[in-house]
Amino acid sequence: MRYTPAVAGWLHEQLGEAITQGRALPGATTAEVTTFESRDRGYVLKLFNQVFFVEEEPDRAIHEATVLDVLGGADLPTPRLVAFDGDGSQCGVPAVLMTRLPGERGVGIQHAAEIVELAARLHGVSPEVPAAIRWGFQRYNQGLEVRPPRWATDVKLWTDVLGVVASDPPMDGWGLIHRDYNSTNFLSSGDRVTGLVDWLSGCRGPFGIDAARLRLDLAIDGESEVASAVTEAFSRSEHDVIDPFWDLVDAVDLLPFYRGFEAVDGWGDPVRRARLEGFIREAVNRLM
């Protein structure tokens, strides 16, 4: 991908070298993400050029840059912030430049214990770190109307779940969270986890939502063995933050919602629907 003159000029200003193009990285949904080398070091450039997401959260670049900056001194495998253009005044769109970590996206059964240990380190950072981050936990469909999905096979189950998540949440176990702690945001090489990326949702929030997001993501994608290994690793650790309440909150976050009179539903696959219902049924059983 060839960078615009504005982006190339900004990169030259930051790195002191002419960078005119980068290689697109797969998997990004809310930004254009590319990588390149400069003076034998790898970098990742994130350009927030998706109009819908920028309108929803204009400070997305500032958000991720702030989180990366405060994590710079933490014992976590995170990218290091190099520079950012918070309002897009220099690049044409908001941008974040960071170092590139080794490894490929995704994790397996062999990574379960390390994933849980990494969660414990993240959630256990000094209180000064989350205090420096002004963003707090919000539900993805907060303020929007949510109903049992039209494709529900057990409407009563969904109605009960919506009642549970509307109740007061547990207030123990809060601090710094990744918020999108899913398998595609981990980098791994062999048996080792080498990185945790995509920090644009990092915030102060409940630890249980990170455990929920990872296990739900794996379950929906059909990685039931990995999900079970992660659940078992949490249960064996001193950082067992799995909570059926937050499991249900995270599941409801993925429901169809209503923006005005328009229904927004990304659940066309009946197999994934069944996996989602299976996840919430198991959480409800543990809650009872």
Side-chain angles (χ1 to χ4, degrees):
M1 169 191 164
R2 181 165 293 277
Y3 297 130
T4 65
V7 171
W10 183 73
L11 290 174
H12 185 273
E13 181 180 336
Q14 305 306 321
L15 301 174
E17 183 178 357
I19 306 293
T20 60
Q21 59 187 3
R23 174 172 55 87
L25 291 176
T29 56
T30 64
E32 189 171 59
V33 184
T34 57
T35 184
F36 60 86
E37 282 72 37
S38 175
R39 295 190 173 92
D40 298 322
R41 186 168 191 178
Y43 294 89
V44 169
L45 175 64
K46 186 174 289 189
L47 299 172
F48 294 91
N49 56 3
Q50 304 292 326
V51 175
F52 170 80
F53 293 106
V54 173
E55 289 178 347
E56 286 285 297
E57 188 182 351
D59 60 352
R60 293 177 75 83
I62 298 172
H63 187 160
E64 182 160 21
T66 300
V67 176
L68 290 176
D69 187 42
V70 299
L71 287 176
D75 180 25
L76 294 167
T78 61
R80 295 296 178 255
L81 176 67
V82 177
F84 71 99
D85 177 9
D87 60 4
S89 59
Q90 300 171 73
C91 294
V93 294
V96 178
L97 177 64
M98 66 195 81
T99 57
R100 188 179 68 215
L101 299 176
E104 301 295 328
R105 284 185 183 259
V107 290
I109 293 175
Q110 70 273 26
H111 303 117
E114 192 172 1
I115 288 170
V116 172
E117 191 268 337
L118 180 55
R121 284 158 54 194
L122 167 61
H123 299 156
V125 298
S126 169
E128 288 78 13
V129 174
I133 298 173
R134 61 183 171 88
W135 293 269
F137 170 76
Q138 288 189 331
R139 302 183 185 186
Y140 289 143
N141 47 29
Q142 188 163 311
L144 299 173
E145 182 182 359
V146 181
R147 311 170 191 167
R150 295 169 181 167
W151 43 259
T153 63
D154 187 340
V155 175
K156 183 181 184 305
L157 173 68
W158 284 105
T159 302
D160 291 345
V161 166
L162 291 177
V164 169
V165 302
S167 63
D168 293 335
M171 295 308 296
D172 57 324
W174 284 56
L176 178 64
I177 63 172
H178 184 279
R179 183 61 177 98
D180 197 16
Y181 202 72
N182 73 67
S183 60
T184 63
N185 285 333
F186 287 94
L187 302 177
S188 62
S189 179
D191 292 339
R192 300 293 299 171
V193 174
T194 57
L196 180 58
V197 298
D198 287 351
W199 286 90
L200 58 89
S201 297
C203 64
R204 304 182 313 277
F207 300 150
I209 208 73
D210 277 348
R213 172 46 51 103
L214 175 60
R215 293 162 37 255
L216 176 56
D217 172 70
L218 290 167
I220 290 174
D221 285 345
E223 299 287 348
S224 58
E225 292 184 357
V226 184
S228 295
V230 169
T231 300
E232 184 178 348
F234 268 113
S235 68
R236 291 198 311 264
S237 79
E238 295 182 359
H239 191 64
D240 185 3
V241 293
I242 292 177
D243 186 320
F245 179 89
W246 294 116
D247 283 358
L248 294 175
V249 167
D250 200 52
V252 169
D253 266 352
L254 300 181
L255 275 183
F257 57 86
Y258 292 81
R259 190 182 302 277
F261 295 102
E262 178 188 5
V264 181
D265 185 350
W267 290 91
D269 184 347
V271 174
R272 291 170 64 83
R273 293 174 183 173
R275 291 169 180 164
L276 176 61
E277 286 195 324
F279 183 88
I280 69 164
R281 188 171 287 109
E282 181 179 325
V284 167
N285 290 339
R286 285 186 286 112
L287 196 62
M288 300 306 179

Short mmCIF file of all heavy atoms in Angstrom, two decimals, residues 84-125:
data_model
loop_
_atom_site.label_atom_id
_atom_site.label_comp_id
_atom_site.label_asym_id
_atom_site.label_seq_id
_atom_site.Cartn_x
_atom_site.Cartn_y
_atom_site.Cartn_z
N PHE A 84 1.76 9.79 17.49
CA PHE A 84 0.36 9.73 17.06
C PHE A 84 -0.10 11.10 16.58
O PHE A 84 0.43 12.13 16.97
CB PHE A 84 -0.55 9.21 18.19
CG PHE A 84 -0.75 10.17 19.34
CD1 PHE A 84 -1.88 10.96 19.42
CD2 PHE A 84 0.21 10.28 20.34
CE1 PHE A 84 -2.07 11.84 20.48
CE2 PHE A 84 0.03 11.14 21.41
CZ PHE A 84 -1.11 11.93 21.48
N ASP A 85 -1.08 11.06 15.69
CA ASP A 85 -1.74 12.26 15.19
C ASP A 85 -3.20 12.15 15.61
O ASP A 85 -4.00 11.50 14.96
CB ASP A 85 -1.60 12.33 13.66
CG ASP A 85 -2.34 13.51 13.05
OD1 ASP A 85 -2.81 14.38 13.82
OD2 ASP A 85 -2.44 13.57 11.81
N GLY A 86 -3.52 12.76 16.74
CA GLY A 86 -4.81 12.53 17.36
C GLY A 86 -6.00 13.00 16.57
O GLY A 86 -7.06 12.37 16.58
N ASP A 87 -5.87 14.12 15.88
CA ASP A 87 -7.03 14.68 15.17
C ASP A 87 -6.90 14.59 13.65
O ASP A 87 -7.78 15.07 12.92
CB ASP A 87 -7.25 16.13 15.58
CG ASP A 87 -6.05 17.02 15.28
OD1 ASP A 87 -5.06 16.53 14.68
OD2 ASP A 87 -6.09 18.22 15.65
N GLY A 88 -5.83 13.99 13.16
CA GLY A 88 -5.66 13.84 11.72
C GLY A 88 -5.20 15.10 11.02
O GLY A 88 -5.19 15.15 9.79
N SER A 89 -4.78 16.10 11.78
CA SER A 89 -4.39 17.37 11.16
C SER A 89 -3.10 17.25 10.36
O SER A 89 -2.84 18.08 9.48
CB SER A 89 -4.23 18.44 12.24
OG SER A 89 -3.25 18.05 13.20
N GLN A 90 -2.30 16.22 10.64
CA GLN A 90 -1.03 16.06 9.92
C GLN A 90 -1.09 14.96 8.86
O GLN A 90 -0.48 15.07 7.80
CB GLN A 90 0.09 15.76 10.92
CG GLN A 90 0.29 16.86 11.95
CD GLN A 90 1.25 16.46 13.04
OE1 GLN A 90 2.46 16.38 12.81
NE2 GLN A 90 0.73 16.18 14.23
N CYS A 91 -1.83 13.89 9.17
CA CYS A 91 -1.89 12.74 8.24
C CYS A 91 -3.13 12.75 7.36
O CYS A 91 -3.23 11.95 6.43
CB CYS A 91 -1.86 11.43 9.03
SG CYS A 91 -0.31 11.13 9.89
N GLY A 92 -4.08 13.60 7.67
CA GLY A 92 -5.34 13.58 6.93
C GLY A 92 -6.40 12.76 7.63
O GLY A 92 -7.59 12.99 7.45
N VAL A 93 -5.97 11.78 8.43
CA VAL A 93 -6.85 10.98 9.28
C VAL A 93 -6.10 10.73 10.58
O VAL A 93 -4.86 10.77 10.61
CB VAL A 93 -7.23 9.63 8.62
CG1 VAL A 93 -8.08 9.84 7.38
CG2 VAL A 93 -5.99 8.81 8.30
N PRO A 94 -6.80 10.47 11.68
CA PRO A 94 -6.10 10.13 12.93
C PRO A 94 -5.19 8.92 12.73
O PRO A 94 -5.52 8.00 11.98
CB PRO A 94 -7.24 9.83 13.91
CG PRO A 94 -8.41 10.60 13.36
CD PRO A 94 -8.26 10.54 11.88
N ALA A 95 -4.03 8.93 13.39
CA ALA A 95 -3.04 7.88 13.16
C ALA A 95 -2.27 7.57 14.44
O ALA A 95 -2.07 8.44 15.29
CB ALA A 95 -2.08 8.30 12.05
N VAL A 96 -1.83 6.31 14.55
CA VAL A 96 -0.96 5.89 15.64
C VAL A 96 0.18 5.08 15.04
O VAL A 96 -0.05 4.15 14.26
CB VAL A 96 -1.70 5.03 16.69
CG1 VAL A 96 -0.73 4.58 17.78
CG2 VAL A 96 -2.86 5.81 17.30
N LEU A 97 1.41 5.44 15.40
CA LEU A 97 2.60 4.72 14.96
C LEU A 97 3.20 4.02 16.18
O LEU A 97 3.42 4.64 17.22
CB LEU A 97 3.62 5.69 14.37
CG LEU A 97 4.96 5.10 13.92
CD1 LEU A 97 4.77 4.11 12.77
CD2 LEU A 97 5.93 6.22 13.51
N MET A 98 3.45 2.71 16.04
CA MET A 98 3.96 1.92 17.16
C MET A 98 4.98 0.90 16.66
O MET A 98 5.09 0.66 15.45
CB MET A 98 2.80 1.20 17.85
CG MET A 98 2.11 0.15 17.00
SD MET A 98 0.49 -0.38 17.63
CE MET A 98 -0.56 0.95 17.05
N THR A 99 5.71 0.31 17.59
CA THR A 99 6.65 -0.74 17.22
C THR A 99 5.89 -2.02 16.89
O THR A 99 4.76 -2.23 17.34
CB THR A 99 7.63 -1.02 18.36
OG1 THR A 99 6.90 -1.38 19.55
CG2 THR A 99 8.50 0.19 18.64
N ARG A 100 6.53 -2.88 16.09
CA ARG A 100 5.92 -4.15 15.71
C ARG A 100 6.48 -5.27 16.59
O ARG A 100 7.69 -5.34 16.83
CB ARG A 100 6.19 -4.47 14.24
CG ARG A 100 5.44 -5.70 13.72
CD ARG A 100 5.74 -5.94 12.25
NE ARG A 100 7.11 -6.35 12.04
CZ ARG A 100 7.84 -6.00 10.98
NH1 ARG A 100 7.33 -5.22 10.05
NH2 ARG A 100 9.08 -6.42 10.85
N LEU A 101 5.59 -6.14 17.06
CA LEU A 101 5.99 -7.27 17.88
C LEU A 101 6.13 -8.52 17.01
O LEU A 101 5.47 -8.64 15.97
CB LEU A 101 4.95 -7.53 18.97
CG LEU A 101 4.73 -6.39 19.97
CD1 LEU A 101 3.60 -6.74 20.92
CD2 LEU A 101 6.01 -6.08 20.73
N PRO A 102 6.95 -9.48 17.43
CA PRO A 102 7.08 -10.72 16.66
C PRO A 102 5.87 -11.62 16.85
O PRO A 102 5.10 -11.47 17.80
CB PRO A 102 8.34 -11.37 17.27
CG PRO A 102 8.35 -10.86 18.68
CD PRO A 102 7.83 -9.45 18.61
N GLY A 103 5.72 -12.59 15.94
CA GLY A 103 4.66 -13.58 16.08
C GLY A 103 3.53 -13.39 15.09
O GLY A 103 3.45 -12.39 14.38
N GLU A 104 2.64 -14.37 15.07
CA GLU A 104 1.46 -14.36 14.22
C GLU A 104 0.21 -14.34 15.09
O GLU A 104 0.21 -14.81 16.22
CB GLU A 104 1.44 -15.60 13.31
CG GLU A 104 2.65 -15.73 12.40
CD GLU A 104 2.72 -14.62 11.37
OE1 GLU A 104 1.64 -14.14 10.95
OE2 GLU A 104 3.84 -14.24 10.97
N ARG A 105 -0.87 -13.79 14.52
CA ARG A 105 -2.11 -13.70 15.30
C ARG A 105 -2.69 -15.08 15.58
O ARG A 105 -2.68 -15.96 14.72
CB ARG A 105 -3.15 -12.85 14.55
CG ARG A 105 -2.88 -11.35 14.61
CD ARG A 105 -4.01 -10.58 13.97
NE ARG A 105 -3.75 -9.15 13.96
CZ ARG A 105 -4.29 -8.28 14.81
NH1 ARG A 105 -5.10 -8.71 15.75
NH2 ARG A 105 -4.02 -6.99 14.73
N GLY A 106 -3.23 -15.23 16.81
CA GLY A 106 -3.91 -16.46 17.16
C GLY A 106 -3.20 -17.23 18.26
O GLY A 106 -1.99 -17.08 18.48
N VAL A 107 -3.98 -18.05 18.98
CA VAL A 107 -3.44 -18.86 20.07
C VAL A 107 -4.06 -20.25 20.00
O VAL A 107 -5.08 -20.47 19.34
CB VAL A 107 -3.73 -18.23 21.45
CG1 VAL A 107 -2.91 -16.98 21.66
CG2 VAL A 107 -5.23 -17.93 21.60
N GLY A 108 -3.43 -21.20 20.71
CA GLY A 108 -3.92 -22.57 20.76
C GLY A 108 -3.97 -23.07 22.19
O GLY A 108 -3.72 -22.32 23.15
N ILE A 109 -4.27 -24.35 22.33
CA ILE A 109 -4.38 -24.95 23.66
C ILE A 109 -3.09 -24.76 24.45
O ILE A 109 -3.10 -24.52 25.66
CB ILE A 109 -4.71 -26.46 23.53
CG1 ILE A 109 -6.11 -26.63 22.94
CG2 ILE A 109 -4.61 -27.16 24.88
CD1 ILE A 109 -6.48 -28.08 22.66
N GLN A 110 -1.95 -24.85 23.76
CA GLN A 110 -0.66 -24.77 24.44
C GLN A 110 -0.40 -23.40 25.05
O GLN A 110 0.52 -23.24 25.86
CB GLN A 110 0.47 -25.12 23.47
CG GLN A 110 0.73 -24.09 22.37
CD GLN A 110 -0.12 -24.30 21.13
OE1 GLN A 110 -1.22 -24.86 21.21
NE2 GLN A 110 0.38 -23.86 19.98
N HIS A 111 -1.21 -22.40 24.69
CA HIS A 111 -0.99 -21.05 25.20
C HIS A 111 -1.91 -20.70 26.37
O HIS A 111 -1.82 -19.59 26.91
CB HIS A 111 -1.22 -20.02 24.07
CG HIS A 111 -0.36 -20.24 22.88
ND1 HIS A 111 -0.88 -20.53 21.63
CD2 HIS A 111 0.99 -20.23 22.72
CE1 HIS A 111 0.11 -20.67 20.76
NE2 HIS A 111 1.25 -20.50 21.40
N ALA A 112 -2.81 -21.61 26.76
CA ALA A 112 -3.86 -21.28 27.72
C ALA A 112 -3.29 -20.75 29.04
O ALA A 112 -3.73 -19.70 29.54
CB ALA A 112 -4.73 -22.50 27.97
N ALA A 113 -2.33 -21.45 29.62
CA ALA A 113 -1.79 -21.02 30.91
C ALA A 113 -1.11 -19.66 30.80
O ALA A 113 -1.25 -18.81 31.70
CB ALA A 113 -0.80 -22.06 31.44
N GLU A 114 -0.40 -19.41 29.71
CA GLU A 114 0.29 -18.13 29.55
C GLU A 114 -0.71 -16.99 29.34
O GLU A 114 -0.48 -15.86 29.80
CB GLU A 114 1.27 -18.20 28.39
CG GLU A 114 2.23 -17.02 28.34
CD GLU A 114 3.33 -17.19 27.31
OE1 GLU A 114 3.35 -18.22 26.60
OE2 GLU A 114 4.17 -16.27 27.21
N ILE A 115 -1.82 -17.27 28.66
CA ILE A 115 -2.85 -16.25 28.46
C ILE A 115 -3.42 -15.82 29.81
O ILE A 115 -3.64 -14.63 30.06
CB ILE A 115 -3.97 -16.81 27.56
CG1 ILE A 115 -3.49 -16.93 26.12
CG2 ILE A 115 -5.21 -15.92 27.63
CD1 ILE A 115 -4.45 -17.68 25.23
N VAL A 116 -3.67 -16.78 30.69
CA VAL A 116 -4.21 -16.47 32.01
C VAL A 116 -3.18 -15.71 32.84
O VAL A 116 -3.50 -14.75 33.54
CB VAL A 116 -4.66 -17.76 32.73
CG1 VAL A 116 -5.04 -17.47 34.17
CG2 VAL A 116 -5.83 -18.39 31.98
N GLU A 117 -1.92 -16.13 32.75
CA GLU A 117 -0.85 -15.43 33.48
C GLU A 117 -0.71 -14.00 32.98
O GLU A 117 -0.48 -13.07 33.77
CB GLU A 117 0.46 -16.21 33.31
CG GLU A 117 1.59 -15.74 34.21
CD GLU A 117 2.46 -14.67 33.57
OE1 GLU A 117 2.48 -14.59 32.33
OE2 GLU A 117 3.10 -13.91 34.31
N LEU A 118 -0.88 -13.81 31.67
CA LEU A 118 -0.80 -12.46 31.11
C LEU A 118 -1.97 -11.61 31.59
O LEU A 118 -1.80 -10.42 31.90
CB LEU A 118 -0.80 -12.55 29.58
CG LEU A 118 -0.72 -11.23 28.80
CD1 LEU A 118 0.49 -10.41 29.22
CD2 LEU A 118 -0.69 -11.50 27.30
N ALA A 119 -3.16 -12.21 31.69
CA ALA A 119 -4.31 -11.48 32.23
C ALA A 119 -4.05 -11.04 33.67
O ALA A 119 -4.38 -9.91 34.05
CB ALA A 119 -5.57 -12.35 32.16
N ALA A 120 -3.43 -11.92 34.46
CA ALA A 120 -3.13 -11.57 35.85
C ALA A 120 -2.15 -10.41 35.92
O ALA A 120 -2.30 -9.50 36.76
CB ALA A 120 -2.57 -12.79 36.57
N ARG A 121 -1.15 -10.41 35.05
CA ARG A 121 -0.18 -9.30 35.03
C ARG A 121 -0.84 -8.00 34.59
O ARG A 121 -0.58 -6.93 35.14
CB ARG A 121 0.99 -9.65 34.12
CG ARG A 121 1.96 -10.64 34.75
CD ARG A 121 2.78 -11.37 33.71
NE ARG A 121 3.49 -10.49 32.80
CZ ARG A 121 4.04 -10.90 31.65
NH1 ARG A 121 3.92 -12.16 31.27
NH2 ARG A 121 4.68 -10.05 30.88
N LEU A 122 -1.70 -8.08 33.58
CA LEU A 122 -2.41 -6.90 33.10
C LEU A 122 -3.30 -6.33 34.19
O LEU A 122 -3.26 -5.13 34.49
CB LEU A 122 -3.24 -7.26 31.86
CG LEU A 122 -4.29 -6.23 31.41
CD1 LEU A 122 -3.63 -4.92 31.02
CD2 LEU A 122 -5.11 -6.79 30.24
N HIS A 123 -4.11 -7.18 34.78
CA HIS A 123 -5.06 -6.71 35.79
C HIS A 123 -4.37 -6.31 37.09
O HIS A 123 -4.97 -5.62 37.93
CB HIS A 123 -6.09 -7.81 36.07
CG HIS A 123 -6.90 -8.18 34.87
ND1 HIS A 123 -7.52 -9.41 34.72
CD2 HIS A 123 -7.19 -7.47 33.74
CE1 HIS A 123 -8.15 -9.45 33.55
NE2 HIS A 123 -7.97 -8.29 32.94
N GLY A 124 -3.12 -6.73 37.26
CA GLY A 124 -2.41 -6.42 38.49
C GLY A 124 -1.45 -5.26 38.38
O GLY A 124 -0.63 -5.06 39.29
N VAL A 125 -1.52 -4.48 37.31
CA VAL A 125 -0.60 -3.35 37.17
C VAL A 125 -0.86 -2.34 38.29
O VAL A 125 -1.93 -2.31 38.89
CB VAL A 125 -0.74 -2.65 35.80
CG1 VAL A 125 -0.38 -3.59 34.67
CG2 VAL A 125 -2.14 -2.08 35.62
#
